[in-house]
């Protein structure tokens, strides 16, 4: 026992003796002048695989994108498809065959030559069901890929072939106008066969085995703690970004990153809620605020076949009684962009004039026309279902419940659900009735197809609103086939008008990122579509 | 004694089997799939392939038997969410962190709690007693997630002595805030138990006899009373020990400590069942061992306790 | 021997002793007031708990809103008042579980030993390792799914209970699984030591039944740790409620509880400190009062202690 006491005193003493703040991680000023470091936050929970062929996106993607490069990439400023590892490509007139010509002298991060066969291997590997890819469907437009991926075909039957070291020929099942976006996706990044064969699933864990081909390469990954990368000297192009990037992994970025940022441990922080109010009032922090647009909508989905929401007037009333401006500016502290219409701005076809907007008096009148004047006859137990994982969603649900009660006199029951139980509940809504629930959508690529055809078309019915409008369906079908951009836009605009008037969805804000960024950081940008921070675009002037 | 220990160790086998079976049954009744991790749901064909690759489409009795047989061979299987690390590797990486932190917190709790409780008992119903009660109870009244957040604001932002989070081994300054945040609770509990059971003992006849014999109060407390008051303190120490070793989820999560408590909760909320089953088995072993040690320690604290 | 006295005399003496303990009396008054506030929340609260005012959000304390307002402009004082219902209900259930499950099982395990001890204590081991959160998820998810169309009388009753308590059923299940474990071990440890003592032998000699020995001789002597355990379980129970509510397994929003108010307050503590301060301080004061009252009760019921 006495030994134990002595030992513990020692613990306390040594602990007290070295209470100076972080020392090891930060380089001394003289070093910093030469070597620059960018320190970013990232969500810990989801960085569970760094394997581009397996990753489903989410967190971890920023790291993968900084370390790998595909045949082509999406420019993070203009959104255009630009040549990456391929210097050019040709598409056959029937849209079936894509021929990629790789740049000369491409190398992996360990100095070995990168060949077209590395792409062939990576694509086949990601498609192979045994790889357990979470995103294999990306490559399914390739001939034979879906069959191989679902166990009905073979790797040999897949339409991807390296005809020589610098040429990759891809054959598609049928023409796919968005195929180049898929080529730019992480699932289509090349990976190295020898390290994967040797280390199996552990190849992503250490710097010697995680061989990449992008602007950066791995230094160290400490699961649930941090990830460090450095410039890849073997990258074909220039990289004027910081020499190293360090991501600190947080379970709750919004709660912890502002604290670390203010203590000088991070160059970027993620802000939500009350921290935004505080930052805006702070003389220093208020100058470091930066808000980025993300092309997305957060909405309430109504079951348009289930009473009382099978009545379009009820849906319109609820939509017009939702004061989205107040919700964003007051309750959410302006963390997002005020809702302007169901579809996010920037998508051709979206038109703010089509939106119903906020009009409590009109809403009241519509509800009474529907037979529920001042909430009379309103059915009991109308449920507003949401995943309870975020405190923000709870506040939103409470606020909207209050708004509808005040404006329309109706009672809604809030039904929070544990996140995974909610996911499960949501997928079963395909053929089971519900009242309403909360979800959202962000562009995968900036095209009306990704919204109108994929989500709202009655055959797609992605969110199970069960909304069916033949005119809308035929408009979006012709929009999909239209080649003239101006005509295409007006076609989708007509569809947009029907959608907004019918109100199967109530959008309450458009997505955004609200950051604090240190003044010595330049060029840090989130592109509005699937944007991740690209280190090579950032300058650290410290 | 040896037969007692052997018997208890043997008893762990049915305990483990029961824990495992119960968890297995509940796991397969819980709604939700482990695969929906990004913002968008996965296509059904991809989910089906994953289920097949991880043998989730086998009949349940087969899954149960397979898992058990593999576990007996020391293979706890793959984690659904972490592609690169197996369940055994995740446990091997995170358990020592939580264990170190837990032991340090326990040590802190013992060093603070027992003296404070003794002082309060000796000065029963005086201002010292009330102050000690006040401190310990208000320490406990703040839940751990409040405690750790307050400590970070005070020590990392207020006076800027300590980093705002992270982990670099138990000997690094980064362990101070989590140790305090975890240890304050058990310290308060130990203080209260020490106080109450000491009071109980101090009122008993043999203490009065000792006082009558003119023994010094300090000696009475340390020599006679303390030993008799030890049983509940030992029990609480045992229970808290298993609590702190098995991870302080909130503190680990908020301070960014890569411990097993985080993995445990994440495996439940993320439906990473192999990881969950593995952690439950390890916890069951740990808890059984700690409880066995507690029982053995009773015998030393009070020789009249005999195990048959 | 106190046992020779009539029970009424014992209680009258205890009450007399309790009223002479100033800290205990003040605490008793506070607790009684709290219960009154909870019972008559609708009369006490200045505003309905769910009334929003988006013109006056996140306001600090003022004459109109003594505790300020929250992010939806709801009156924090009114939310605290209504929240006391949930939190006191949770505290009460927790104490009941401790007293009605933990104490008897601990007594039986310690006193009878042998297979009963093994059975009870191994069950404790199993439950300590069991992921009770998962069971709560299963039960609540299924329950709320079937409650829309209740089938059969049992489900209707359970569903009614869940609705009546504002969705606390999951919290009660979780508490029922875990909150008695520590106490059962504590009481057992105490009994193991006590049953070897002279007075138990003496009682046995004069032919006292097992039940009588347990009730009259062992139970009173385990009171001290039980009181501490019962009061200290409360913050844990309140935190459990908050945690489960945040997982969507507890009370239905917008119904408030102290745990929820504290958890929300922590998120906003740097911008709007009052949103954490008031609930946290009131919870702390409440627990301190429970403790002083518990201490007072213990002293009052302990015949060996002399009132000075």
């Amino acid at each position: 026992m006495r030994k134990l006491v002595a030992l513990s005193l020692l613990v306390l003493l040594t602990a007290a003796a070295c209470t100076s703040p972080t020392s090891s991680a930060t380089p001394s000023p003289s070093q910093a002048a030469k070597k620059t470091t960018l320190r970013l936050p990232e969500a810990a929970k989801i960085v569970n695989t760094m394997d581009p062929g397996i990753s489903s996106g989410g967190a971890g993607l920023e790291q993968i994108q900084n370390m790998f490069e595909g045949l082509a990439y999406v420019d993070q400023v203009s959104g255009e498809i630009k040549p990456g590892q391929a210097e050019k490509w040709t598409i056959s007139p029937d849209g079936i065959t894509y021929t990629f010509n790789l740049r000369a002298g491409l190398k992996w991060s360990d100095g070995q030559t990168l060949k077209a066969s590395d792409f062939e291997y990576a694509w086949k590997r990601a498609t192979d069901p045994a790889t357990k890819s979470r995103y294999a469907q990306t490559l399914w437009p390739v001939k034979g890929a879906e069959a191989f991926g679902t166990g009905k075909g073979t790797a040999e039957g897949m339409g991807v072939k390296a005809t020589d070291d610098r040429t990759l020929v891809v054959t598609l099942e049928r023409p796919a106008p968005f195929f180049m976006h898929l080529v730019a996706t992480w699932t289509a990044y090349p990976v190295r066969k020898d390290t994967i064969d040797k280390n199996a699933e552990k190849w992503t864990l250490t710097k010697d085995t995680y061989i990449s081909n992008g602007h950066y390469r791995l230094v160290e990954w400490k699961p649930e703690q941090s990830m460090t990368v450095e410039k890849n000297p073997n990258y074909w192009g220039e990289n004027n970004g910081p020499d190293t990037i360090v991501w600190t992994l947080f379970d709750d970025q919004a709660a912890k990153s502002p604290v670390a940022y203010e203590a000088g441990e991070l160059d970027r922080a993620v802000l939500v809620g009350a921290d935004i109010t505080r930052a805006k009032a702070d003389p220093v922090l208020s100058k470091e605020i930066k808000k980025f647009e993300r092309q997305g909508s957060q909405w309430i989905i109504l079951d348009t076949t289930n009473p009382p929401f099978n009545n379009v007037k009820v849906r319109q009333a609820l939509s017009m009684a939702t004061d989205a401006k107040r919700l964003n500016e007051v309750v959410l502290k302006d963390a997002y962009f005020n809702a302007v219409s169901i579809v996010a701005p920037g998508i051709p076809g979206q038109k703010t004039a089509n939106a119903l907007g906020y009009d409590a008096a009109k809403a009241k009148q519509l509800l009474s026309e529907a037979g529920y004047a001042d909430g009379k006859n309103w059915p009991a137990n109308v449920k507003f279902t949401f995943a309870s994982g975020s405190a923000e969603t709870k506040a939103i649900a409470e606020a909207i419940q209050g708004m509808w009660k005040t404006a329309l006199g109706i009672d809604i029951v809030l039904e929070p659900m544990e996140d995974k139980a909610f996911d499960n509940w949501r997928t079963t809504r395909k053929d089971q009735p519900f009242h309403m629930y909360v979800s959202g959508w962000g562009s995968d690529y900036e095209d009306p197809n990704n919204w109108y055809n994929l989500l709202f078309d009655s055959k797609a019915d992605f969110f199970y609103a069960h909304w069916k409008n033949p005119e809308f369906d035929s408009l979006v079908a012709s929009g999909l086939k239209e080649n003239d951009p101006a005509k295409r836009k007006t076609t989708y605009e007509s569809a947009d008008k029907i959608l907004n008037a019918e109100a199967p969805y109530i959008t309450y804000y458009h997505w955004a990122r609200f950051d604090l960024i240190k003044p010595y950081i330049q060029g840090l940008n989130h592109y509005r579509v699937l944007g991740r921070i690209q280190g090579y675009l950032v300058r650290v002037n410290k | 004694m040896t037969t007692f220990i052997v018997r208890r160790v043997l008893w762990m086998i049915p305990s483990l089997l029961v824990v495992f079976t119960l968890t297995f049954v509940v796991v397969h009744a819980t709604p939700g799939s482990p695969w929906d991790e990004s913002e968008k749901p996965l296509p059904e064909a991809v989910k089906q392939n994953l289920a097949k690759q991880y043998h989730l489409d086998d009949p349940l009795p087969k899954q149960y038997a397979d898992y058990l047989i593999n576990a007996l061979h020391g293979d706890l299987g793959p984690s659904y969410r972490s592609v690169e690390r197996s369940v055994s590797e995740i446990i091997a990486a995170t358990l020592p962190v939580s264990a170190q932190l837990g032991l340090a917190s326990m040590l802190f709790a013992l060093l603070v709690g027992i003296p404070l409780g003794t002082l309060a008992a000796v000065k029963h119903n005086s201002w010292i007693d009330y102050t000690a009660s006040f401190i310990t109870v208000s320490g406990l009244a703040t839940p751990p997630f409040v405690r750790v957040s307050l400590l970070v604001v005070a020590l990392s932002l207020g006076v800027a002595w300590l980093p705002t989070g992270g982990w670099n081994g138990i000997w690094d300054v980064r362990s101070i805030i989590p140790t305090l945040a975890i240890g304050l609770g058990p310290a308060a509990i130990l203080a209260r138990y020490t106080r109450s059971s000491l009071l109980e003992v101090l009122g008993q006849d043999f203490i009065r006899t000792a006082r009558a014999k003119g023994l010094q109060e300090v000696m009475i407390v340390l020599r006679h009373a303390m030993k008799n008051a030890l049983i509940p303190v030992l029990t609480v120490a045992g229970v808290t020990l298993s609590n702190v070793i098995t991870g302080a989820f909130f503190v680990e999560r908020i301070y960014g400590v890569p411990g097993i408590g985080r993995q445990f909760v994440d495996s439940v909320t993320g439906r990473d069942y192999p990881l969950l089953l593995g952690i439950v088995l390890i916890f069951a072993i740990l808890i059984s061992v700690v409880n066995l040690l507690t029982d053995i320690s009773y015998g030393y604290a009070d020789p009249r306790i005999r195990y048959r | 021997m106190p046992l020779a006295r009539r029970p009424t005399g014992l209680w009258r003496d205890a009450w007399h002793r309790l009223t002479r303990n100033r800290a205990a009396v003040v605490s008793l008054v506070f607790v009684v007031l709290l219960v009154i506030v909870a019972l008559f929340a609708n009369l006490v609260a200045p505003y309905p708990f769910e009334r929003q005012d988006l013109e006056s959000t996140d306001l600090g304390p003022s004459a109109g809103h003594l505790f300020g307002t929250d992010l939806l402009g709801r009156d924090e004082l009114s939310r605290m008042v209504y929240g006391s219902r949930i939190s006191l209900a949770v505290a009460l259930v927790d104490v009941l579980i401790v007293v009605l499950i933990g104490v008897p099982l601990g007594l039986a395990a310690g006193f009878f030993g042998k297979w009963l001890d093994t059975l009870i204590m191994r069950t404790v081991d199993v439950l300590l390792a069991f992921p009770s959160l998962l069971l709560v998820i299963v039960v609540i998810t299924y329950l709320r799914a079937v409650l829309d169309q209740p089938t059969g009388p049992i489900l209707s009753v359970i569903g009614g209970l869940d609705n009546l308590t504002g969705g606390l059923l999951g919290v009660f299940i979780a508490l029922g699984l875990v909150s008695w474990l520590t106490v059962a071990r504590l009481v057992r440890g105490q009994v193991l030591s006590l049953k070897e003592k002279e007075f138990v032998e003496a009682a046995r000699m004069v032919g006292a039944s097992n039940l009588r020995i347990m009730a009259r001789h062992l139970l009173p002597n385990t009171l001290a740790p039980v009181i501490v355990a019962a009061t200290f379980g409360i913050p844990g129970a309140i935190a459990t409620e908050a945690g489960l509510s945040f997982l969507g397994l507890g009370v239905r929003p917008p119904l408030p509880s102290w745990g929820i108010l504290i958890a929300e307050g922590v998120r906003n503590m740097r911008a709007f400190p009052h949103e954490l301060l008031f609930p946290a301080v009131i919870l702390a004061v409440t627990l301190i009062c429970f403790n002083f009252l518990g201490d007072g009760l213990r002293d009052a019921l302990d015949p060996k202690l002399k009132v000075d």
Side-chain angles (χ1 to χ4, degrees):
Chain A
M1 186 66 192
R2 202 164 297 154
K3 241 184 226 159
L4 207 63
V5 175
L7 184 70
S8 55
L9 278 177
L10 192 71
V11 177
L12 290 176
L13 288 176
T14 38
C18 44
T19 46
S20 65
T22 73
S23 45
S24 52
T26 345
S28 67
S30 62
Q31 279 176 308
K34 280 180 277 160
K35 291 265 177 194
T36 50
T37 304
L38 177 64
R39 301 163 305 166
L40 302 170
E42 180 61 278
K45 220 196 241 163
I46 320 175
V47 183
N48 279 314
T49 179
M50 289 297 292
D51 190 325
I54 297 178
S55 171
S56 63
L61 178 56
E62 188 164 293
Q63 292 71 23
I64 292 174
Q65 284 187 343
N66 272 286
M67 286 187 271
F68 282 88
E69 188 178 74
L71 294 164
Y73 67 93
V74 178
D75 186 280
Q76 295 289 297
V77 181
S78 69
E80 287 162 23
I81 298 278
K82 296 234 172 112
Q85 299 276 295
E87 58 183 357
K88 62 182 169 55
W89 53 88
T90 49
I91 307 169
S92 65
D94 60 359
I96 293 285
T97 310
Y98 285 64
T99 309
F100 296 92
N101 300 104
L102 270 61
R103 292 175 195 276
L106 286 178
K107 280 181 183 162
W108 289 96
S109 58
D110 65 346
Q112 281 200 35
T113 311
L114 190 149
K115 297 175 187 156
S117 56
D118 291 322
F119 280 94
E120 183 186 333
Y121 165 73
W123 289 27
K124 287 182 173 169
R125 171 180 176 267
T127 312
D128 188 342
T131 307
K132 307 186 191 93
S133 171
R134 273 68 159 158
Y135 220 68
Q137 75 273 17
T138 311
L139 295 168
W140 284 3
V142 175
K143 190 174 188 310
E146 185 168 356
F148 178 35
T150 48
K152 293 181 207 91
T154 58
E156 289 69 42
M158 201 173 145
V160 53
K161 180 121 195 73
T163 50
D164 62 51
D165 281 356
R166 286 181 53 202
T167 313
L168 188 76
V169 181
V170 179
T171 325
L172 303 188
E173 202 78 56
R174 63 187 74 86
F178 307 104
F179 185 64
M180 281 314 295
H181 280 278
L182 304 182
V183 169
T185 308
W186 58 95
T187 320
Y189 290 167
V191 290
R192 260 277 281 280
K193 187 171 188 299
D194 56 347
T195 181
I196 293 173
D197 284 347
K198 199 168 143 219
N199 305 295
E201 65 271 22
K202 303 209 180 316
W203 74 281
T204 56
L205 285 172
T206 66
K207 68 174 195 178
D208 295 327
T209 55
Y210 194 63
I211 300 164
S212 61
N213 71 330
H215 291 87
Y216 289 87
R217 64 180 181 189
L218 184 68
V219 175
E220 192 184 24
W221 175 21
K222 294 175 168 174
E224 278 93 46
Q225 294 186 76
S226 66
M227 185 172 295
T228 309
V229 301
E230 64 181 6
K231 273 185 184 170
N232 173 9
N234 291 310
Y235 180 69
W236 62 268
E238 253 184 71
N239 180 1
N240 297 316
D243 297 290
T244 50
I245 309 175
V246 182
W247 285 274
T248 306
L249 312 180
F250 297 102
D251 270 356
D252 186 349
Q253 281 191 81
K256 280 295 301 203
S257 68
V259 177
Y261 177 91
E262 286 166 60
E265 296 167 13
L266 284 181
D267 296 326
R268 169 187 171 229
V270 180
L271 288 188
V272 295
D275 273 324
I276 295 179
T277 315
R278 193 169 55 82
K280 282 184 173 170
D282 185 290
V284 178
L285 296 181
S286 58
K287 296 190 187 74
E288 300 172 0
I289 287 174
K290 235 178 150 191
K291 191 172 170 183
F292 301 93
E293 182 199 349
R294 281 178 76 209
Q295 197 167 61
S297 293
Q298 199 66 18
W299 50 41
I300 300 163
I301 295 115
L302 302 169
D303 184 347
T304 59
T305 53
N306 196 20
F309 304 110
N310 54 354
N311 185 337
V312 64
K313 286 189 175 163
V314 174
R315 300 199 298 268
Q316 289 168 336
L318 257 55
S319 181
M320 294 174 89
T322 308
D323 189 350
K325 183 169 182 282
R326 275 274 197 80
L327 183 72
N328 179 40
E329 290 176 3
V330 177
V331 179
L332 304 174
K333 319 289 188 243
D334 198 27
Y336 304 97
F337 291 99
N338 293 343
V340 296
S341 68
I342 292 180
V343 173
I347 294 292
Q350 182 276 340
K351 214 172 144 188
T352 307
N354 288 339
L356 290 177
Y358 169 66
D359 186 342
K362 184 84 189 294
K364 214 173 143 139
Q365 189 203 326
L366 281 165
L367 196 72
S368 99
E369 283 169 24
Y372 306 105
D374 293 320
K376 263 191 241 67
N377 307 323
W378 183 255
N381 234 0
V382 171
K383 282 187 176 157
F384 185 113
T385 310
F386 58 99
S388 59
S390 115
E392 195 177 270
T393 312
K394 183 181 163 231
I396 291 166
E398 289 177 333
I400 292 179
Q401 182 193 39
M403 283 174 183
W404 290 346
K405 173 87 187 160
T406 315
L408 306 172
I410 58 172
D411 284 308
I412 302 285
V413 178
L414 299 186
E415 179 89 340
M417 262 187 209
E418 191 260 347
D419 288 10
K420 286 283 181 180
F422 173 80
D423 284 346
N424 188 59
W425 176 88
R426 206 200 80 92
T427 51
T428 56
R429 291 313 99 184
K430 188 172 183 180
D431 40 26
Q432 285 180 49
F434 63 95
H435 289 121
M436 57 181 113
Y437 71 90
V438 166
S439 192
W441 181 258
S443 290
D444 295 314
Y445 42 88
E446 203 166 338
D447 190 276
N449 162 55
N450 194 231
W451 290 73
Y452 298 96
N453 300 75
L454 187 69
L455 308 181
F456 312 130
D457 181 278
S458 68
K459 287 176 293 303
D461 193 23
F462 191 89
F463 289 100
Y464 310 133
H466 309 314
W467 177 66
K468 199 168 185 166
N469 183 299
E471 200 189 342
F472 177 90
D473 284 359
S474 81
L475 277 170
V476 296
S478 61
L480 187 64
K481 280 180 248 140
E482 183 59 61
N483 285 325
D484 176 16
K487 265 196 195 153
R488 193 162 185 248
K489 187 163 178 267
T490 45
T491 309
Y492 277 113
E493 274 175 359
S494 317
D496 188 72
K497 190 168 185 181
I498 298 171
L499 176 72
N500 278 287
E502 287 267 309
Y505 297 71
I506 302 170
T507 295
Y508 52 85
Y509 66 69
H510 297 298
W511 292 3
R513 282 190 197 278
F514 205 111
D515 283 5
L516 286 174
I517 295 169
K518 293 281 185 194
Y520 50 79
I521 302 287
Q522 260 98 50
L524 195 158
N525 183 44
H526 303 276
Y527 180 56
R528 65 178 178 275
V529 177
L530 291 179
R532 293 293 191 278
I533 296 167
Q534 304 299 323
Y536 70 93
L537 296 171
V538 178
R539 302 289 175 268
V540 181
N541 302 316
K542 196 160 65 166
Chain B
M1 195 61 166
T2 322
T3 38
F4 166 72
I5 294 174
V6 169
R7 214 174 51 207
R8 280 288 288 275
V9 171
L10 286 178
W11 259 108
M12 274 185 212
I13 297 166
S15 298
L16 285 178
L17 206 62
V18 170
V19 166
F20 173 74
T21 310
L22 277 179
T23 313
F24 187 89
V25 169
V26 175
V27 151
H28 285 277
T30 313
S33 122
W35 316 124
D36 305 305
E37 270 174 9
S38 55
E39 292 151 353
K40 289 165 191 179
L42 293 182
E44 204 46 45
V46 172
K47 275 196 205 171
Q48 273 168 14
N49 175 46
L50 288 171
K52 199 169 137 202
Q53 295 296 330
Y54 286 103
H55 304 291
L56 282 170
D57 53 354
D58 286 351
L60 279 188
K62 185 176 183 305
Q63 286 190 46
Y64 177 83
D66 285 350
Y67 187 94
L68 213 55
I69 291 164
N70 287 334
L72 283 177
H73 291 91
D75 176 12
L76 297 173
S79 154
Y80 292 161
R81 292 185 323 131
S82 169
V83 172
E84 28 271 300
R85 296 192 301 164
S86 70
V87 169
S88 314
E89 285 164 331
I90 293 174
I91 293 175
T94 53
L95 180 62
V97 173
S98 290
Q100 287 175 41
L101 196 54
L103 288 172
S105 314
M106 200 61 214
L107 206 60
F108 169 82
L110 288 169
L111 289 175
V112 172
I114 292 182
L116 205 62
T118 311
L119 201 66
V122 172
K123 305 283 178 193
H124 181 216
N125 278 348
S126 71
W127 66 270
I128 297 184
D129 182 16
Y130 289 136
T131 315
S133 297
F134 193 84
I135 294 172
T136 49
V137 179
S138 36
L140 252 189
T142 45
F145 62 94
V146 179
R147 230 181 283 147
V148 69
S149 305
L150 288 175
L151 282 169
V152 168
V153 168
L155 298 179
S156 307
L157 286 174
V159 292
W161 286 346
L162 296 170
T164 60
W167 178 253
N168 209 355
I170 194 73
W171 304 110
D172 188 83
V173 289
R174 284 165 203 268
S175 69
I176 294 176
I177 287 181
T179 303
L180 287 178
I182 300 171
L184 279 171
I189 295 179
L190 280 174
R192 303 297 296 165
Y193 278 111
T194 308
R195 175 186 177 277
S196 73
S197 58
L198 257 183
L199 277 180
E200 189 81 11
V201 175
L202 283 174
Q204 283 176 10
D205 294 341
F206 72 96
I207 297 290
R208 270 181 239 150
T209 318
R211 280 209 186 99
K213 279 200 283 188
L215 280 178
Q216 255 187 307
E217 191 70 21
V218 182
M219 290 303 289
I220 293 174
V221 170
L222 291 184
R223 267 277 177 71
H224 299 272
M226 203 55 162
K227 210 172 165 191
N228 278 282
L230 220 54
I231 296 278
V233 174
L234 283 171
T235 312
V236 176
V239 174
T240 351
L241 185 64
S242 26
N243 283 347
V244 292
I245 293 178
T246 52
F249 163 66
F250 282 117
V251 174
E252 287 180 3
R253 179 183 154 90
I254 296 172
Y255 205 72
V257 178
I260 201 163
R262 251 163 109 183
Q263 297 290 344
F264 183 59
V265 177
D266 285 354
S267 69
V268 173
T269 54
R271 307 289 191 269
D272 191 347
Y273 297 133
L275 181 58
L276 174 66
L277 286 167
I279 294 178
V280 164
L281 283 179
I282 297 293
F283 280 8
I285 293 173
L286 270 175
I287 288 162
S288 300
V289 169
V290 169
N291 284 350
L292 174 58
L293 291 177
T294 314
D295 279 354
I296 293 172
S297 73
Y298 287 164
Y300 287 99
D302 186 346
R304 280 173 309 195
I305 297 178
R306 295 178 302 263
Y307 295 106
R308 275 155 248 139
Chain C
M1 280 295 275
L3 291 169
R5 289 192 206 159
R6 295 178 58 89
T8 45
L10 179 73
W11 287 110
R12 198 180 300 140
D13 282 0
W15 176 251
H16 182 65
R17 277 193 288 260
L18 186 68
T19 50
R20 292 192 51 185
N21 180 335
R22 243 178 303 153
V25 170
V26 173
S27 302
L28 183 65
V29 171
F30 182 86
V31 170
V32 170
L33 276 177
L34 200 63
V35 172
I36 291 173
V37 163
L39 287 178
F40 301 101
N42 44 343
L43 301 177
V44 178
Y47 302 91
F49 66 86
E50 81 283 13
R51 198 175 87 181
Q52 303 174 11
D53 179 4
L54 294 185
E55 299 292 334
S56 47
T57 56
D58 298 310
L59 295 181
S62 69
H65 301 281
L66 283 181
F67 287 3
T69 62
D70 73 356
L71 85 167
L72 296 176
R74 297 176 294 202
D75 181 55
E76 286 272 8
L77 174 60
S78 306
R79 290 182 70 72
M80 279 302 291
V81 166
Y82 276 94
S84 67
R85 283 185 170 175
I86 301 290
S87 297
L88 287 185
V90 167
L92 181 71
V93 168
D94 183 68
V95 171
L96 285 180
I97 289 168
V98 163
V99 172
L100 297 182
I101 302 180
V103 174
L105 286 183
L107 261 177
F111 187 74
F112 294 110
K114 310 243 172 57
W115 63 271
L116 192 63
D117 183 31
T118 306
L119 180 73
I120 294 174
M121 286 304 122
R122 284 333 107 213
T123 308
V124 169
D125 286 357
V126 164
L127 283 178
L128 278 172
F130 180 74
S132 50
L133 175 62
L134 209 59
L135 189 67
V136 175
I137 294 175
V138 174
V139 174
I140 293 301
T141 312
Y142 278 118
L143 204 63
R144 296 211 172 140
V146 295
L147 280 185
D148 284 341
Q149 304 91 23
T151 45
I154 302 171
L155 276 177
S156 309
V157 170
I158 298 175
L161 189 72
D162 191 39
N163 277 335
L164 202 69
T165 52
L168 280 180
L169 192 67
V171 179
F172 294 158
I173 293 171
L175 292 179
L177 281 175
V178 294
S179 71
W180 57 273
L181 304 175
T182 311
V183 176
R185 284 199 60 85
L186 262 172
V187 171
R188 167 184 172 267
Q190 200 79 331
V191 169
L192 279 181
S193 148
L194 285 170
K195 75 171 177 185
E196 309 291 345
K197 288 207 167 143
E198 299 78 5
F199 66 88
V200 177
E201 285 300 314
R204 205 169 263 149
M205 294 282 215
V206 299
S209 70
N210 282 341
L211 206 64
R212 190 181 165 83
I213 293 177
M214 282 198 283
R216 280 298 172 84
H217 299 266
L218 297 179
L219 189 60
N221 281 291
T222 57
L223 214 57
V226 168
I227 287 176
V228 177
T231 35
F232 271 9
I234 292 172
I238 287 176
T240 303
E241 180 270 312
L244 288 175
S245 295
F246 268 85
L247 282 176
L249 303 167
V251 295
R252 242 183 241 283
L255 204 62
S257 76
W258 290 2
I260 293 172
L261 292 173
I262 289 175
E264 280 173 354
V266 170
R267 288 192 83 85
N268 297 347
M269 69 177 172
R270 297 181 62 206
F272 311 113
H274 71 273
E275 290 177 19
L276 173 63
L277 188 72
F278 288 108
V281 167
I282 287 185
L283 175 63
V285 170
T286 306
L287 289 174
I288 289 166
C289 287
F290 275 136
N291 259 271
F292 283 150
L293 190 60
D295 285 354
L297 272 179
R298 195 206 69 86
D299 292 355
L301 289 173
D302 186 349
K304 293 183 292 284
L305 274 178
K306 291 279 166 285
V307 180
D308 11 332

